[in-house]
Amino acid sequence: MFKKILSTVIKEKTQSSATESLEQRLNEIPNVSGKQEIQVSNNKLLKDENSFQAREFKLEDNQFSSQVENLEVHKVDGINTVYYLKDFITLRDEQSINDEIYDLPTNSWVDLTYSNRRLQKWGGDVTQKGLENQKSLPTFLEALSAKLYQSKISPKKPNHVLLNEYQKGVGIMPHTDGPLYFPWVNSISLGSDCIFKFYKDMQSYRDGVEQARVLLEKRSLVIFTDEAYKEYLHTIDDLTSDIVLLQIDQDESSNDLIKVVKSNVLNFSLTNLKKQIESLTLEQALKEDILFKVRDNPDFNYCIEIKRDKRISLTIRYVPECQIAPQN
Ligand SMILES: O=C(O)CCC(=O)C(=O)O
């Protein structure tokens, strides 16, 4: 019989506490070890390697399997220190990572009582002293960590992963990731696109004054570091679809392919969505209900509605060995 691992229910408190590092509260969650104790008839405890930890996993090769020459080509214009890499993983990788996630022990999930979101943490407990109770990552997460590091995208080899599973319509409150991580977040999206927003502080959020809006497409990697990590809150709205606004200065009867002049998502020029829209004429896109007209907006005249689905994100970070005490 497997040793009972407590299932923990985390209760997030009020809105203001959502800006605290969720990670600090996550340390209440027991780690799921690669080894579990199996009780046999003579009462002796044996150790057995879990299949999810031991099994082989290989990511498919793509343009990010080798060194990325210049991360700056993936920089999101209009906000400092945010990078967006579409198709960081292949379609097949997306499916196999998804399969691996649902093969993990079901007791690794932590349900949030206030939200239709649940999460898992891998790697250990994030503390002032660094990563405690450190555990090796399941092989598929180790493969992603290695890909990020070997491609020289991530300056540190990630040792910690948070999996968030969002049901359709569910997002995450504005928060920062706190000082215990190396300030470089790698976040991969599976299953659904969504819009990710940055705000200066809670007051700006309440006032609806956002700093940036970035489209996260499935299979993409978004990175935020330095200023965007330290100075902004990040959030995903609770919505069943996201609207991307566009400015297109073309005649509807023109046979030319669409050329988007401007969008309200800052990374539009880096997305697959741009490629898809700009492969159509305006007439086609309107006829097929891909684009819709926007009225009474001085900046944008068309929009696209992107329906959400269940989404999983993998937040892949590095926790330094120990925190360096500030010098006085
Ligand atoms: O789902 C995401 O992309 C964001 C997750 C997040 O903000 C976090 O894990 O702190």
Side-chain angles (χ1 to χ4, degrees), residues 162 164 166 172 175 177 187 196 216 234 236 311 313 315:
L162 210 57
N164 272 294
Y166 303 82
I172 188 165
H175 65 283
D177 290 359
S187 179
F196 192 75
L216 305 188
H234 54 273
I236 299 169
R311 172 173 177 270
S313 67
T315 308

Side-chain angles (χ1 to χ4, degrees), residues 301-318:
N301 51 0
Y302 292 93
C303 73
I304 308 165
E305 183 186 20
I306 304 176
K307 298 243 168 25
R308 291 244 195 111
D309 226 318
K310 185 171 85 171
R311 172 173 177 270
I312 294 183
S313 67
L314 300 95
T315 308
I316 306 175
R317 288 171 288 199
Y318 172 70

